[in-house]
């Protein structure tokens, strides 16, 4: 049974949304309630791994996350029609290795649904193989999204409109994308990033963002979730406002805003902009839950720490390649040693490269992570001390791929090899993991996009 077939009777909360995780006897129970609907799931205490640095029962939400990352899948609660199999059909554009679907899949499992990925598109063929191995992706296309959809836009911002209806160029691809419940996308963010001092705001890659509403309209996706860096809203071509106008003109309601992983209690200060849209094509069907309400629903009093996530002898991935880290130059080893020998987390200006010794706006480079705080944003440079605060808090090295993957919310069982006999390079792992959508953020985006259908199904 497709998720789209149960959306019509959903009721939004209008401020009554809430999320609770607690122990009930020997079960760890998570409840997400929106209006009259409730998504309820549980794991048993025995299945949940012990928590580093404290009692499992003292931090139910932390215990829930650790259980998921360590391989325990929750059991869903009661449904109106337990005899029906609910299927969440997704398509993933600019997909990378499928990090976005880790978070959306978590929400699906909690609601008793099977996430089925019909399509993943990316220019990186090896990343698509990783995607297929982890998500059972039915079709992968190693191509630019732009080459798959025919569209033309007139105007920009609130005045934007399609010159003619967008069309997916491949008939087989078009038929395979029919009845999609959720279209996810993480268009390239380098052109929008504040770290890009050369072409920021005017980079041509920024226009790839507009491939997503065109594809969504062409395949009539029921809901859409687009992720990017927070500075995307300052793009010179006004891509967020343009995409919003295009979606609204084609029957969608839109919410957009910034979600912060650490505000949800996650041990990483990652902030990303999301645009969420849901199609109105039947009377009474509700739009997406506002992102402000999602933020309030998932807010935690404190963020967990790097130590909680990766220290204390946790096994993490069992793939040896995931525990590798580069050989550093003698100068880099000396800089890392200085941090530990002086019990510092910021490298003194005198120890920095000459170009940084007059002061720098990038003070975190060559920095050592604080074990008792959330990690900084994990980027593609997490194995390079000169690209951020990525020195391990207690060991004289940078993060490993396994540690970065844990901080991004990938389960320890995630298979990062394109094939069993292919060992990815460190550069591949850094890009795949650093570019991924952190699982808590993907979960929040899916909650906004899919709540009308999930609340109806789980009520």
């Amino acid at each position: 049974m497709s998720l789209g077939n149960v959306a019509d009777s959903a009721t939004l909360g209008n401020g009554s949304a809430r999320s609770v995780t607690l122990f009930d006897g020997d079960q760890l129970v998570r409840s997400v309630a929106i209006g009259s609907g409730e998504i309820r799931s549980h794991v048993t205490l025995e299945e949940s791994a012990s928590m580093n640095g404290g009692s499992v029962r003292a931090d139910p939400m932390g215990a829930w996350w650790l259980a998921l990352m360590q391989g325990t899948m929750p059991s869903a609660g009661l449904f109106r029609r337990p005899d029906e199999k609910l299927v969440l059909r997704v398509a993933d554009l600019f997909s990378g290795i499928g990090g976005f679907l880790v978070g959306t899949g978590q929400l699906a499992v909690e609601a008793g649904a099977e996430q089925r990925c019909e399509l993943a598109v990316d220019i990186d063929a090896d990343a698509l193989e990783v995607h297929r191995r982890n998500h059972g992706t039915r079709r992968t296309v190693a191509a630019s999204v732009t080459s798959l959809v025919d569209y033309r836009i007139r105007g920009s911002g609130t005045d934007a409109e399609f010159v003619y209806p967008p069309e997916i160029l491949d008939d087989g691809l078009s038929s395979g994308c029919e009845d999609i419940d959720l279209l996810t996308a993480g268009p390239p963010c380098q052109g929008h990033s504040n770290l890009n001092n050369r072409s920021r705001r005017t980079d041509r890659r920024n226009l790839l963002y507009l491939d997503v509403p065109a594809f969504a309209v062409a395949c009539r996706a029921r809901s859409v979730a687009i992720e990017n860096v927070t500075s995307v809203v300052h793009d010179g071509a006004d891509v967020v406002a343009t995409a919003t106008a295009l979606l609204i003109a084609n029957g969608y309601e839109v919410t957009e805003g910034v979600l912060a992983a650490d505000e949800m209690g996650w041990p990483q200060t990652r902030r990303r902009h999301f645009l969420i849209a849901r199609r109105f094509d039947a009377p009474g069907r509700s739009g997406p839950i506002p992102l402000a309400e999602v933020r309030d629903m998932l807010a935690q009093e404190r963020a967990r720490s790097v130590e909680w996530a990766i220290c204390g002898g946790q096994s993490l991935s069992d793939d040896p390649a995931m525990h590798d880290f580069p050989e550093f130059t003698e100068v880099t080893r000396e800089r890392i040693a200085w941090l530990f020998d002086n019990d510092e987390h910021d490298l003194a200006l005198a120890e920095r490269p000459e170009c940084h010794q007059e002061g720098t706006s990038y003070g975190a480079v060559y920095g050592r992570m604080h074990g008792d705080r959330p990690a900084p944003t994990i980027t593609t440079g997490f194995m390079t001390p000169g690209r951020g605060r990525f020195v391990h808090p207690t060991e004289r090295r940078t993060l490993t791929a396994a540690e970065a993957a844990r901080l991004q919310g990938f389960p320890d069982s995630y298979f990062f090899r394109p094939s069993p006999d292919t060992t990815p390079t460190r550069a591949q792992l850094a890009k795949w993991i650093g570019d991924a959508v952190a699982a808590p953020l993907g979960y929040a985006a899916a909650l906004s996009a899919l709540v009308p259908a999930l609340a109806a199904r789980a009520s």
Side-chain angles (χ1 to χ4, degrees), residues 177-453:
C177 290
E178 292 176 353
D179 204 35
I180 289 295
D181 294 302
L182 176 63
L183 178 68
T184 58
C189 64
Q190 293 86 351
H192 302 292
S193 174
N194 286 328
L195 298 178
N196 173 9
N197 291 320
R198 182 175 60 85
S199 60
R200 181 171 65 237
R201 317 298 185 231
T202 60
D203 195 306
R204 291 188 60 82
R205 289 174 295 181
N206 298 358
L207 296 175
L208 295 173
Y209 193 100
L210 301 178
D211 290 349
V212 186
F215 200 99
V217 171
C219 74
R220 292 184 54 78
R222 291 192 179 91
S223 54
V224 185
I226 312 175
E227 176 264 0
N228 215 282
V229 293
T230 57
S231 53
V232 67
V233 296
H234 303 302
D235 171 64
D238 210 6
V239 292
V240 174
T242 299
T244 299
L246 295 172
L247 288 164
I248 290 173
N250 285 273
Y252 289 82
E253 182 175 338
V254 175
T255 181
E256 55 99 1
V258 173
L259 296 173
D262 58 322
E263 292 178 1
M264 301 176 194
W266 192 253
Q268 185 190 165
T269 58
R270 194 179 194 91
R271 296 170 59 84
R272 287 295 184 264
H273 180 273
F274 285 86
L275 185 154
I276 310 295
R278 184 166 177 81
R279 200 180 77 220
F280 277 120
D281 62 355
R285 181 166 294 184
S286 298
I289 187 169
L291 285 178
E293 191 170 343
V294 170
R295 285 195 297 269
D296 291 343
M297 183 194 313
L298 299 179
Q300 296 270 295
E301 291 184 1
R302 63 177 180 85
R304 286 147 192 89
S305 67
V306 171
E307 181 181 34
W308 172 89
I310 65 174
C311 297
Q314 300 183 64
S315 59
L316 308 184
S317 170
D318 62 3
D319 184 345
M322 295 291 289
H323 297 274
D324 193 14
F325 55 89
E327 290 290 332
F328 303 119
T329 66
E330 181 62 29
V331 172
T332 298
R333 287 197 296 271
E334 289 175 355
R335 288 174 179 149
I336 294 174
W338 187 94
L339 293 169
F340 285 88
D341 293 344
N342 292 276
D343 194 24
E344 293 286 350
H345 290 84
D346 295 301
L347 195 65
L349 288 179
E351 302 296 325
R352 294 173 181 268
E354 289 186 8
C355 61
H356 285 188
Q357 288 185 5
E358 297 301 322
T360 174
S361 58
Y362 304 116
V365 297
Y366 300 101
R368 173 184 164 200
M369 301 173 79
H370 295 267
D372 60 351
R373 303 179 189 176
T377 298
I378 300 301
T379 71
T380 59
F382 68 78
M383 292 189 190
T384 308
R387 293 181 63 185
R389 189 183 301 280
F390 297 129
V391 174
H392 192 279
T394 61
E395 299 183 25
R396 300 186 180 210
R397 58 172 176 80
T398 52
L399 294 176
T400 64
E403 291 163 340
R406 171 63 78 85
L407 289 166
Q408 286 280 62
F410 283 99
D412 298 335
S413 59
Y414 210 81
F415 193 72
F416 286 88
R417 294 173 179 252
S419 71
D421 300 326
T422 303
T423 301
T425 66
R426 285 195 294 268
Q428 284 180 308
L429 289 171
K431 177 173 176 51
W432 293 343
I433 295 169
D435 279 346
V437 178
L441 299 182
Y443 178 94
L447 190 61
S448 172
L450 300 173
V451 67

Side-chain angles (χ1 to χ4, degrees), residues 148-153 161-169 174 210-220 246-247 249-250 252:
L148 303 179
V149 58
D150 177 27
Y151 71 98
R152 184 179 174 189
I153 298 171
E161 61 181 359
F162 289 118
V163 176
Y164 47 82
E167 180 181 3
I168 296 175
L169 295 172
S174 179
L210 301 178
D211 290 349
V212 186
F215 200 99
V217 171
C219 74
R220 292 184 54 78
L246 295 172
L247 288 164
N250 285 273
Y252 289 82

